[in-house]
């Protein structure tokens, strides 16, 4: 019979359901079932209880075949090879090939133990704090299984949920470090005694305090906030980055400023020199009207060097009236024009003013003398000019040299700081995030983030052969963040990323292989795109090395 | 040890100590069953049956990563399946409008008018799916369960549950284009 859909069906309230609870009836049925099994025969009862029991008995046998400790399909992360058995309670890895393996430590549960993990993390386990499933304190050897997941590939591979959905938004966790810790004895999982805690000092590459400590619940569906961890940073002989000379300190460089002034001064003097070039003398033209005026050489130094200058009407003067020569003028003044060597001579009297475009000329012996003089002056001028030009060049050279030195210092300081930051990030014992736990499981120093912003696309996927790829989910990795942004098939039409960052997409095929879309191809996606088909590459060993290198080269925080 | 683990451990020794687990999960199991059967009283009866089965098999339950709740849901799912086989009830799919709209959006009916027109087609289409597919759709869209839990109840990996659901929606999308073109 075809199923029947009921939409928006009303259902009993919680109160009504609670009223129908009857545990004693279930216990009665249980005891009846047990006794009937003991007798080895079927019993028939009337009414509700009979129907229930009959169904129960028949179902009991059915249960034998279908409910036999339902198998748990879980991929188990690899553990250190020196111990048998496998760690359980782990989440199913998304990409088993890169899932971080557990390290297993054998400890004596009766003594205080501090485990020093190779990363620099420490786990302090007080004596007698471990109990078995019955709540009894265990003694003797126990196994502590511990692993750390610190970077995007580990987060991605682990399959540990690092996102949660609210009504309209998906939030993702940026992590400052994640650990998983379990304890076992003879294959049985252990717990921490309620009044005891285990102290963990986890190495981290992130010293920011914006992270909270979260614990993943047993169903691996919810992160419970445990409060704040405590961040300690030990420099241990390393120069703290904040104490290093900053590249920015160099901007107040007095010497450079002084050199810049010298350049400006040299240029000014050169311009002055260029403006003082002597004008070559001009020979008077016979027959052209001329007039003699007294020149204030302090205003017109270019005429200082020549004696007996007269002014000849210039060829460009078209309106000269020779009759003006017979007029008695009260005032005469001289002005330069835009044409070198041409002046405006202005004659005025109360009732009239005229101007005549003129040029200073010399005639006869004065001209020859002026010509010699000009040659001397020009030689002198050239020497001065050369000198000024050399001074300017020297000043510019000194300034540029100082500028290059400053740029070199800035670059050196930037490199020093970069190396120092890298050294801090690589030195395992430097940053510790400490917290106490009272139950085993997965702990994460997290900071929730929204999906990346900047560009949103409707995404489709295909392989390099052009075949469409079907994914249940893909993961976006933004290199500057320690986070993996998960997009599933319901929101592939809203795949967002920050185009100002370097990004990759990783996805696991149904066959368990890793495919990726690299950062160079990402950089070529236009921000104007509304949809995009990501051509995914199946990752080989070289590609995994490339990905590791790409992650390792991220700029320090 | 968590509170629940303590209860389970105690219940293994003495079935009367199962009561806290009964109280915790009774409503959840009832609603799971009620969403799938036609009759309210039958749902209550079946709920009792599920807990009885759980009590009978509690010693077989191991703390191996499958949550106790999922183990109970598995028993409930199989019990309901038995009811269908025995014709004790018609198979019911309890859908809700927001869930149907979400499915409609997933297969690209985004406009309000489109959704309204095609909801009827959608409900018929869901009813035509194989039983396990109906369970996937019901658990994800109408009961809003996370994929991990769905996988545990249906004995699938989380990834497989996602991929299966994706394929179901993809198939429905293709069918919708074919029918409405």
């Amino acid at each position: 019979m075809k199923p029947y859909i009921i939409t928006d069906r009303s259902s009993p309230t919680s109160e009504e359901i609670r009223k129908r609870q009857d545990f004693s009836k279930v216990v009665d049925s249980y005891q009846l079932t047990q006794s009937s099994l003991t007798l080895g025969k079927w019993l028939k009862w009337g009414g509700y209880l009979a129907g229930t029991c009959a169904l129960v008995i028949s179902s009991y046998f059915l249960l034998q075949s279908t409910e036999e400790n339902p198998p748990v399909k879980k991929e188990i992360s690899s553990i250190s090879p020196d111990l048998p058995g496998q760690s359980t309670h782990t989440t199913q890895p998304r990409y088993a090939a890169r899932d971080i393996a557990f390290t297993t430590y054998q400890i004596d549960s009766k003594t205080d133990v501090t485990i020093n993990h190779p990363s620099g993390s420490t786990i302090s386990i007080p004596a007698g704090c471990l109990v078995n499933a019955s709540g009894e304190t265990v003694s003797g050897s126990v196994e502590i299984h511990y692993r750390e997941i610190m970077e995007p590939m580990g987060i991605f591979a682990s399959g540990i949920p690092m996102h949660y959905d609210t009504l309209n938004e998906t939030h993702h966790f940026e992590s400052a470090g994640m650990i998983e810790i379990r304890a076992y004895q003879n294959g049985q999982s252990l717990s921490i005694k309620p009044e005891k805690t285990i102290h963990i000092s986890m190495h981290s590459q992130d010293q920011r305090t914006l992270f909270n400590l979260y614990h993943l619940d047993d169903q691996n569906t919810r992160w419970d906030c445990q409060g704040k961890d405590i961040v300690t940073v030990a420099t241990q002989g390393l120069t703290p980055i904040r104490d290093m000379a900053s590249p920015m300190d160099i901007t107040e460089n007095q010497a450079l400023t002084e050199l810049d002034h010298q350049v400006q001064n040299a240029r000014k003097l050169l311009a002055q020199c260029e403006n003082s070039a002597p004008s070559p003398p001009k020979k008077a033209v016979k027959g052209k009207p001329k007039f003699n005026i007294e020149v204030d050489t302090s205003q017109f130094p270019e005429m200082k060097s020549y004696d007996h200058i007269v002014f000849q009407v210039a060829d460009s003067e078209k309106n000269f009236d020779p009759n003006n020569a017979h007029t008695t003028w009260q005032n005469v003044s001289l002005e330069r024009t835009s044409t070198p060597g041409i002046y405006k001579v202005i004659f005025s009297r109360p009732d009239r003013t005229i101007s005549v475009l003129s040029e200073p000329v010399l005639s006869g012996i004065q001209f020859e003398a002026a010509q010699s003089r000009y040659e001397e002056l020009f030689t002198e001028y050239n020497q001065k000019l050369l000198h000024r030009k050399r001074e300017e060049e020297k000043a510019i050279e000194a300034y540029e040299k100082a500028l290059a030195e400053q740029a070199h210092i800035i670059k050196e300081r930037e490199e020093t700081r970069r190396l120092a930051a890298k050294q801090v990030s690589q030195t395992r014992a430097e940053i510790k995030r400490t917290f106490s736990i009272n139950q085993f499981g997965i702990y994460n120093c997290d900071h929730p983030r929204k999906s990346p912003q900047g560009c949103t696309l409707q995404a489709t996927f295909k392989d390099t052969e052009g075949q469409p790829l079907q994914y249940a989910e893909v993961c976006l990795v933004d290199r500057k963040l320690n986070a993996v942004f998960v997009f599933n098939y319901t929101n592939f039409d809203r795949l967002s990323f920050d185009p100002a960052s370097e990004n990759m997409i990783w996805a696991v095929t149904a066959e368990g292989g890793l495919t990726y879309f690299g950062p160079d191809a990402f950089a070529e996606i236009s921000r104007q795109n509304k949809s995009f088909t990501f051509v995914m590459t199946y990752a080989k060993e070289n590609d995994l090395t490339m990905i590791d290198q790409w992650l390792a080269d991220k700029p320090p925080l | 040890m968590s509170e629940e683990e303590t209860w389970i451990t105690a219940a293994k020794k003495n079935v009367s100590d199962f009561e806290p687990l009964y109280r915790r999960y009774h409503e959840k199991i009832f609603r799971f069953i009620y969403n799938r059967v036609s009759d309210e009283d039958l749902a209550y009866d079946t709920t009792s049956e599920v807990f009885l089965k759980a009590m009978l098999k509690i010693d077989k339950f191991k703390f191996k990563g499958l949550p106790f709740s999922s183990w109970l849901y598995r028993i409930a799912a199989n019990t309901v399946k038995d009811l269908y086989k025995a014709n004790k009830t018609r198979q019911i799919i309890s859908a809700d409008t927001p869930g149907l709209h979400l499915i409609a959006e997933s297969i690209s009916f985004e406009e309000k008018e489109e959704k309204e027109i095609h909801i009827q087609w959608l409900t018929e289409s869901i009813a035509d799916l194989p039983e396990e597919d109906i369970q996937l759709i019901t658990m994800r869209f109408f009961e809003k369960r996370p994929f991990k839990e769905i996988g545990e109840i249906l004995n699938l990996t989380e990834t497989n549950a996602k991929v299966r659901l994706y394929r179901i929606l993809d198939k429905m999308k293709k069918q919708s284009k074919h029918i409405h073109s």
Side-chain angles (χ1 to χ4, degrees), chain A residues 8-9 14 48 56 67-68 70 132-133 191 473 489, chain B residues 1 23 27 34 45 52 60 74 78 95 97 162 165:
Chain A
D8 299 325
R9 184 186 187 190
S14 297
Y48 163 77
V56 161
E67 295 299 328
E68 189 69 37
N132 59 21
S191 305
E473 63 183 20
Y489 64 89
Chain B
M1 190 186 298
R23 301 275 174 223
E27 180 178 344
Y34 179 74
D45 292 347
L52 177 62
K60 297 276 173 104
R74 274 201 197 179
N78 285 324
T97 304
K162 286 180 191 174
L165 186 66

PDB file of all heavy atoms in Angstrom, chain A residues 8-9 14 48 56 67-68 70 132-133 191 473 489, chain B residues 1 23 27 34 45 52 60 74 78 95 97 162 165:
ATOM      1  N   ASP A   8       1.304  18.852   8.229  1.00  0.00           N
ATOM      2  CA  ASP A   8       0.998  19.657   9.425  1.00  0.00           C
ATOM      3  C   ASP A   8       0.003  18.953  10.338  1.00  0.00           C
ATOM      4  O   ASP A   8      -0.967  19.549  10.819  1.00  0.00           O
ATOM      5  CB  ASP A   8       0.479  21.050   9.013  1.00  0.00           C
ATOM      6  CG  ASP A   8       1.520  21.817   8.194  1.00  0.00           C
ATOM      7  OD1 ASP A   8       2.729  21.671   8.466  1.00  0.00           O
ATOM      8  OD2 ASP A   8       1.119  22.552   7.255  1.00  0.00           O
ATOM      9  N   ARG A   9       0.283  17.703  10.586  1.00  0.00           N
ATOM     10  CA  ARG A   9      -0.572  16.877  11.447  1.00  0.00           C
ATOM     11  C   ARG A   9      -0.454  17.365  12.878  1.00  0.00           C
ATOM     12  O   ARG A   9       0.647  17.646  13.361  1.00  0.00           O
ATOM     13  CB  ARG A   9      -0.082  15.430  11.326  1.00  0.00           C
ATOM     14  CG  ARG A   9      -0.868  14.384  12.052  1.00  0.00           C
ATOM     15  CD  ARG A   9      -0.103  13.070  11.916  1.00  0.00           C
ATOM     16  NE  ARG A   9      -0.860  11.930  12.443  1.00  0.00           N
ATOM     17  CZ  ARG A   9      -0.339  10.715  12.612  1.00  0.00           C
ATOM     18  NH1 ARG A   9       0.920  10.489  12.281  1.00  0.00           N
ATOM     19  NH2 ARG A   9      -1.065   9.737  13.090  1.00  0.00           N
ATOM     20  N   SER A  14       3.390  17.555  25.004  1.00  0.00           N
ATOM     21  CA  SER A  14       4.337  16.848  25.881  1.00  0.00           C
ATOM     22  C   SER A  14       3.643  16.392  27.147  1.00  0.00           C
ATOM     23  O   SER A  14       3.892  15.293  27.662  1.00  0.00           O
ATOM     24  CB  SER A  14       5.503  17.768  26.233  1.00  0.00           C
ATOM     25  OG  SER A  14       6.220  18.118  25.075  1.00  0.00           O
ATOM     26  N   TYR A  48      -5.213  -5.582  26.164  1.00  0.00           N
ATOM     27  CA  TYR A  48      -4.048  -4.785  25.726  1.00  0.00           C
ATOM     28  C   TYR A  48      -2.749  -5.477  26.064  1.00  0.00           C
ATOM     29  O   TYR A  48      -1.845  -5.584  25.242  1.00  0.00           O
ATOM     30  CB  TYR A  48      -4.123  -3.404  26.404  1.00  0.00           C
ATOM     31  CG  TYR A  48      -2.809  -2.675  26.373  1.00  0.00           C
ATOM     32  CD1 TYR A  48      -2.376  -2.047  25.200  1.00  0.00           C
ATOM     33  CD2 TYR A  48      -1.980  -2.649  27.496  1.00  0.00           C
ATOM     34  CE1 TYR A  48      -1.166  -1.392  25.173  1.00  0.00           C
ATOM     35  CE2 TYR A  48      -0.772  -2.000  27.448  1.00  0.00           C
ATOM     36  CZ  TYR A  48      -0.373  -1.377  26.308  1.00  0.00           C
ATOM     37  OH  TYR A  48       0.818  -0.742  26.261  1.00  0.00           O
ATOM     38  N   VAL A  56       5.499  -8.715  21.630  1.00  0.00           N
ATOM     39  CA  VAL A  56       6.828  -8.639  22.234  1.00  0.00           C
ATOM     40  C   VAL A  56       7.559  -9.948  22.025  1.00  0.00           C
ATOM     41  O   VAL A  56       8.710  -9.972  21.628  1.00  0.00           O
ATOM     42  CB  VAL A  56       6.713  -8.314  23.736  1.00  0.00           C
ATOM     43  CG1 VAL A  56       8.007  -8.675  24.460  1.00  0.00           C
ATOM     44  CG2 VAL A  56       6.407  -6.845  23.920  1.00  0.00           C
ATOM     45  N   GLU A  67      18.511  -7.039  15.699  1.00  0.00           N
ATOM     46  CA  GLU A  67      18.970  -6.025  16.625  1.00  0.00           C
ATOM     47  C   GLU A  67      20.234  -6.440  17.367  1.00  0.00           C
ATOM     48  O   GLU A  67      20.607  -5.807  18.319  1.00  0.00           O
ATOM     49  CB  GLU A  67      17.872  -5.735  17.676  1.00  0.00           C
ATOM     50  CG  GLU A  67      16.627  -5.120  17.073  1.00  0.00           C
ATOM     51  CD  GLU A  67      16.916  -3.787  16.394  1.00  0.00           C
ATOM     52  OE1 GLU A  67      17.823  -3.058  16.850  1.00  0.00           O
ATOM     53  OE2 GLU A  67      16.254  -3.499  15.387  1.00  0.00           O
ATOM     54  N   GLU A  68      20.854  -7.525  16.932  1.00  0.00           N
ATOM     55  CA  GLU A  68      22.006  -8.050  17.650  1.00  0.00           C
ATOM     56  C   GLU A  68      23.112  -7.010  17.676  1.00  0.00           C
ATOM     57  O   GLU A  68      23.894  -6.894  16.736  1.00  0.00           O
ATOM     58  CB  GLU A  68      22.469  -9.333  16.946  1.00  0.00           C
ATOM     59  CG  GLU A  68      23.538 -10.110  17.705  1.00  0.00           C
ATOM     60  CD  GLU A  68      22.988 -10.728  18.980  1.00  0.00           C
ATOM     61  OE1 GLU A  68      21.827 -11.170  18.970  1.00  0.00           O
ATOM     62  OE2 GLU A  68      23.711 -10.741  19.986  1.00  0.00           O
ATOM     63  N   PRO A  70      23.573  -3.708  17.224  1.00  0.00           N
ATOM     64  CA  PRO A  70      23.662  -3.158  15.864  1.00  0.00           C
ATOM     65  C   PRO A  70      25.080  -2.691  15.542  1.00  0.00           C
ATOM     66  O   PRO A  70      25.694  -1.968  16.321  1.00  0.00           O
ATOM     67  CB  PRO A  70      22.707  -1.965  15.899  1.00  0.00           C
ATOM     68  CG  PRO A  70      22.162  -1.893  17.265  1.00  0.00           C
ATOM     69  CD  PRO A  70      22.594  -3.042  18.063  1.00  0.00           C
ATOM     70  N   ASN A 132      35.875   2.986  35.985  1.00  0.00           N
ATOM     71  CA  ASN A 132      35.343   2.156  34.907  1.00  0.00           C
ATOM     72  C   ASN A 132      33.848   2.410  34.736  1.00  0.00           C
ATOM     73  O   ASN A 132      33.295   3.324  35.365  1.00  0.00           O
ATOM     74  CB  ASN A 132      35.636   0.676  35.170  1.00  0.00           C
ATOM     75  CG  ASN A 132      35.039   0.193  36.476  1.00  0.00           C
ATOM     76  OD1 ASN A 132      34.096   0.809  37.017  1.00  0.00           O
ATOM     77  ND2 ASN A 132      35.574  -0.880  37.003  1.00  0.00           N
ATOM     78  N   ALA A 133      33.217   1.584  33.920  1.00  0.00           N
ATOM     79  CA  ALA A 133      31.800   1.796  33.606  1.00  0.00           C
ATOM     80  C   ALA A 133      30.914   1.644  34.830  1.00  0.00           C
ATOM     81  O   ALA A 133      29.818   2.181  34.890  1.00  0.00           O
ATOM     82  CB  ALA A 133      31.360   0.838  32.506  1.00  0.00           C
ATOM     83  N   SER A 191      36.258   6.673  32.525  1.00  0.00           N
ATOM     84  CA  SER A 191      35.799   8.053  32.686  1.00  0.00           C
ATOM     85  C   SER A 191      36.617   8.709  33.782  1.00  0.00           C
ATOM     86  O   SER A 191      37.420   8.054  34.455  1.00  0.00           O
ATOM     87  CB  SER A 191      34.329   8.081  33.076  1.00  0.00           C
ATOM     88  OG  SER A 191      33.554   7.371  32.144  1.00  0.00           O
ATOM     89  N   GLU A 473      29.273  17.459   0.104  1.00  0.00           N
ATOM     90  CA  GLU A 473      29.759  18.707   0.690  1.00  0.00           C
ATOM     91  C   GLU A 473      31.148  19.002   0.131  1.00  0.00           C
ATOM     92  O   GLU A 473      31.843  18.115  -0.350  1.00  0.00           O
ATOM     93  CB  GLU A 473      29.828  18.612   2.216  1.00  0.00           C
ATOM     94  CG  GLU A 473      30.802  17.571   2.721  1.00  0.00           C
ATOM     95  CD  GLU A 473      30.816  17.425   4.228  1.00  0.00           C
ATOM     96  OE1 GLU A 473      29.854  17.836   4.892  1.00  0.00           O
ATOM     97  OE2 GLU A 473      31.803  16.879   4.721  1.00  0.00           O
ATOM     98  N   TYR A 489      25.403  20.310  -0.224  1.00  0.00           N
ATOM     99  CA  TYR A 489      24.678  20.391  -1.495  1.00  0.00           C
ATOM    100  C   TYR A 489      23.483  21.343  -1.420  1.00  0.00           C
ATOM    101  O   TYR A 489      23.009  21.825  -2.432  1.00  0.00           O
ATOM    102  CB  TYR A 489      24.226  18.994  -1.934  1.00  0.00           C
ATOM    103  CG  TYR A 489      23.231  18.368  -0.987  1.00  0.00           C
ATOM    104  CD1 TYR A 489      21.865  18.569  -1.140  1.00  0.00           C
ATOM    105  CD2 TYR A 489      23.665  17.588   0.073  1.00  0.00           C
ATOM    106  CE1 TYR A 489      20.964  18.015  -0.262  1.00  0.00           C
ATOM    107  CE2 TYR A 489      22.773  17.034   0.959  1.00  0.00           C
ATOM    108  CZ  TYR A 489      21.424  17.249   0.790  1.00  0.00           C
ATOM    109  OH  TYR A 489      20.544  16.702   1.665  1.00  0.00           O
TER     110      TYR A 489
ATOM    111  N   MET B   1      32.476   9.186  33.814  1.00  0.00           N
ATOM    112  CA  MET B   1      31.331   8.530  33.157  1.00  0.00           C
ATOM    113  C   MET B   1      30.157   9.500  33.133  1.00  0.00           C
ATOM    114  O   MET B   1      29.893  10.179  34.109  1.00  0.00           O
ATOM    115  CB  MET B   1      30.944   7.275  33.950  1.00  0.00           C
ATOM    116  CG  MET B   1      29.917   6.397  33.211  1.00  0.00           C
ATOM    117  SD  MET B   1      29.342   5.021  34.189  1.00  0.00           S
ATOM    118  CE  MET B   1      30.823   4.113  34.453  1.00  0.00           C
ATOM    119  N   ARG B  23      12.112   7.488  31.064  1.00  0.00           N
ATOM    120  CA  ARG B  23      11.539   8.834  31.210  1.00  0.00           C
ATOM    121  C   ARG B  23      12.193   9.800  30.215  1.00  0.00           C
ATOM    122  O   ARG B  23      11.542  10.655  29.626  1.00  0.00           O
ATOM    123  CB  ARG B  23      11.779   9.376  32.640  1.00  0.00           C
ATOM    124  CG  ARG B  23      11.189   8.528  33.746  1.00  0.00           C
ATOM    125  CD  ARG B  23       9.748   8.849  34.022  1.00  0.00           C
ATOM    126  NE  ARG B  23       9.208   7.907  35.007  1.00  0.00           N
ATOM    127  CZ  ARG B  23       8.009   7.342  34.907  1.00  0.00           C
ATOM    128  NH1 ARG B  23       7.202   7.607  33.893  1.00  0.00           N
ATOM    129  NH2 ARG B  23       7.592   6.498  35.842  1.00  0.00           N
ATOM    130  N   GLU B  27       9.100  10.354  25.285  1.00  0.00           N
ATOM    131  CA  GLU B  27       8.420  11.273  24.373  1.00  0.00           C
ATOM    132  C   GLU B  27       9.055  11.238  22.992  1.00  0.00           C
ATOM    133  O   GLU B  27       8.365  11.242  21.974  1.00  0.00           O
ATOM    134  CB  GLU B  27       8.458  12.704  24.924  1.00  0.00           C
ATOM    135  CG  GLU B  27       7.749  13.698  23.996  1.00  0.00           C
ATOM    136  CD  GLU B  27       7.716  15.111  24.533  1.00  0.00           C
ATOM    137  OE1 GLU B  27       7.967  15.311  25.745  1.00  0.00           O
ATOM    138  OE2 GLU B  27       7.444  16.023  23.744  1.00  0.00           O
ATOM    139  N   TYR B  34       4.856   7.942  16.225  1.00  0.00           N
ATOM    140  CA  TYR B  34       3.584   8.585  15.865  1.00  0.00           C
ATOM    141  C   TYR B  34       3.656   9.198  14.466  1.00  0.00           C
ATOM    142  O   TYR B  34       2.666   9.193  13.728  1.00  0.00           O
ATOM    143  CB  TYR B  34       3.247   9.664  16.901  1.00  0.00           C
ATOM    144  CG  TYR B  34       1.976  10.419  16.626  1.00  0.00           C
ATOM    145  CD1 TYR B  34       0.720   9.818  16.836  1.00  0.00           C
ATOM    146  CD2 TYR B  34       2.009  11.727  16.150  1.00  0.00           C
ATOM    147  CE1 TYR B  34      -0.450  10.513  16.575  1.00  0.00           C
ATOM    148  CE2 TYR B  34       0.840  12.425  15.897  1.00  0.00           C
ATOM    149  CZ  TYR B  34      -0.385  11.817  16.106  1.00  0.00           C
ATOM    150  OH  TYR B  34      -1.540  12.505  15.836  1.00  0.00           O
ATOM    151  N   ASP B  45       1.274   2.135  22.239  1.00  0.00           N
ATOM    152  CA  ASP B  45       1.547   0.706  22.441  1.00  0.00           C
ATOM    153  C   ASP B  45       2.914   0.341  21.892  1.00  0.00           C
ATOM    154  O   ASP B  45       3.692  -0.388  22.532  1.00  0.00           O
ATOM    155  CB  ASP B  45       0.484  -0.156  21.735  1.00  0.00           C
ATOM    156  CG  ASP B  45      -0.875  -0.025  22.371  1.00  0.00           C
ATOM    157  OD1 ASP B  45      -0.950   0.523  23.501  1.00  0.00           O
ATOM    158  OD2 ASP B  45      -1.869  -0.462  21.756  1.00  0.00           O
ATOM    159  N   LEU B  52      10.405  -2.170  25.919  1.00  0.00           N
ATOM    160  CA  LEU B  52      10.493  -3.545  26.378  1.00  0.00           C
ATOM    161  C   LEU B  52      11.632  -4.260  25.659  1.00  0.00           C
ATOM    162  O   LEU B  52      12.452  -4.950  26.282  1.00  0.00           O
ATOM    163  CB  LEU B  52       9.164  -4.253  26.124  1.00  0.00           C
ATOM    164  CG  LEU B  52       9.124  -5.730  26.493  1.00  0.00           C
ATOM    165  CD1 LEU B  52       9.377  -5.931  27.983  1.00  0.00           C
ATOM    166  CD2 LEU B  52       7.770  -6.337  26.137  1.00  0.00           C
ATOM    167  N   LYS B  60      23.229  -6.287  25.794  1.00  0.00           N
ATOM    168  CA  LYS B  60      23.992  -6.341  24.542  1.00  0.00           C
ATOM    169  C   LYS B  60      24.483  -4.963  24.102  1.00  0.00           C
ATOM    170  O   LYS B  60      25.330  -4.843  23.231  1.00  0.00           O
ATOM    171  CB  LYS B  60      23.118  -6.917  23.414  1.00  0.00           C
ATOM    172  CG  LYS B  60      22.660  -8.339  23.621  1.00  0.00           C
ATOM    173  CD  LYS B  60      23.734  -9.311  23.163  1.00  0.00           C
ATOM    174  CE  LYS B  60      23.365 -10.722  23.524  1.00  0.00           C
ATOM    175  NZ  LYS B  60      22.897 -11.562  22.501  1.00  0.00           N
ATOM    176  N   ARG B  74      16.758   2.970  16.372  1.00  0.00           N
ATOM    177  CA  ARG B  74      16.876   1.820  15.457  1.00  0.00           C
ATOM    178  C   ARG B  74      15.843   0.758  15.798  1.00  0.00           C
ATOM    179  O   ARG B  74      15.206   0.181  14.914  1.00  0.00           O
ATOM    180  CB  ARG B  74      18.264   1.195  15.570  1.00  0.00           C
ATOM    181  CG  ARG B  74      19.283   1.823  14.708  1.00  0.00           C
ATOM    182  CD  ARG B  74      20.423   0.865  14.486  1.00  0.00           C
ATOM    183  NE  ARG B  74      21.585   1.574  13.995  1.00  0.00           N
ATOM    184  CZ  ARG B  74      22.728   0.999  13.725  1.00  0.00           C
ATOM    185  NH1 ARG B  74      22.879  -0.288  13.937  1.00  0.00           N
ATOM    186  NH2 ARG B  74      23.730   1.690  13.270  1.00  0.00           N
ATOM    187  N   ASN B  78      12.759  -0.349  13.301  1.00  0.00           N
ATOM    188  CA  ASN B  78      12.516  -1.746  12.910  1.00  0.00           C
ATOM    189  C   ASN B  78      11.158  -2.231  13.387  1.00  0.00           C
ATOM    190  O   ASN B  78      10.482  -3.003  12.700  1.00  0.00           O
ATOM    191  CB  ASN B  78      13.627  -2.641  13.456  1.00  0.00           C
ATOM    192  CG  ASN B  78      14.908  -2.489  12.664  1.00  0.00           C
ATOM    193  OD1 ASN B  78      14.874  -2.304  11.439  1.00  0.00           O
ATOM    194  ND2 ASN B  78      16.038  -2.529  13.331  1.00  0.00           N
ATOM    195  N   ALA B  95       4.451  15.112   7.265  1.00  0.00           N
ATOM    196  CA  ALA B  95       5.236  16.205   6.702  1.00  0.00           C
ATOM    197  C   ALA B  95       4.801  17.518   7.322  1.00  0.00           C
ATOM    198  O   ALA B  95       3.720  17.604   7.913  1.00  0.00           O
ATOM    199  CB  ALA B  95       5.024  16.258   5.190  1.00  0.00           C
ATOM    200  N   THR B  97       4.788  21.903   6.451  1.00  0.00           N
ATOM    201  CA  THR B  97       4.909  22.845   5.322  1.00  0.00           C
ATOM    202  C   THR B  97       6.313  23.425   5.180  1.00  0.00           C
ATOM    203  O   THR B  97       6.849  23.456   4.071  1.00  0.00           O
ATOM    204  CB  THR B  97       3.858  23.964   5.455  1.00  0.00           C
ATOM    205  OG1 THR B  97       2.577  23.369   5.552  1.00  0.00           O
ATOM    206  CG2 THR B  97       3.895  24.892   4.269  1.00  0.00           C
ATOM    207  N   LYS B 162      24.394  11.551   3.548  1.00  0.00           N
ATOM    208  CA  LYS B 162      24.335  12.825   2.819  1.00  0.00           C
ATOM    209  C   LYS B 162      24.247  12.570   1.323  1.00  0.00           C
ATOM    210  O   LYS B 162      23.447  13.193   0.632  1.00  0.00           O
ATOM    211  CB  LYS B 162      25.616  13.629   3.084  1.00  0.00           C
ATOM    212  CG  LYS B 162      25.708  14.246   4.456  1.00  0.00           C
ATOM    213  CD  LYS B 162      27.020  15.004   4.587  1.00  0.00           C
ATOM    214  CE  LYS B 162      27.268  15.391   6.013  1.00  0.00           C
ATOM    215  NZ  LYS B 162      28.578  15.998   6.211  1.00  0.00           N
ATOM    216  N   LEU B 165      20.856  11.270   0.223  1.00  0.00           N
ATOM    217  CA  LEU B 165      19.821  12.293   0.220  1.00  0.00           C
ATOM    218  C   LEU B 165      20.008  13.207  -0.978  1.00  0.00           C
ATOM    219  O   LEU B 165      19.052  13.604  -1.646  1.00  0.00           O
ATOM    220  CB  LEU B 165      19.866  13.101   1.519  1.00  0.00           C
ATOM    221  CG  LEU B 165      18.721  14.098   1.665  1.00  0.00           C
ATOM    222  CD1 LEU B 165      17.397  13.373   1.782  1.00  0.00           C
ATOM    223  CD2 LEU B 165      18.922  14.984   2.884  1.00  0.00           C
TER     224      LEU B 165
END
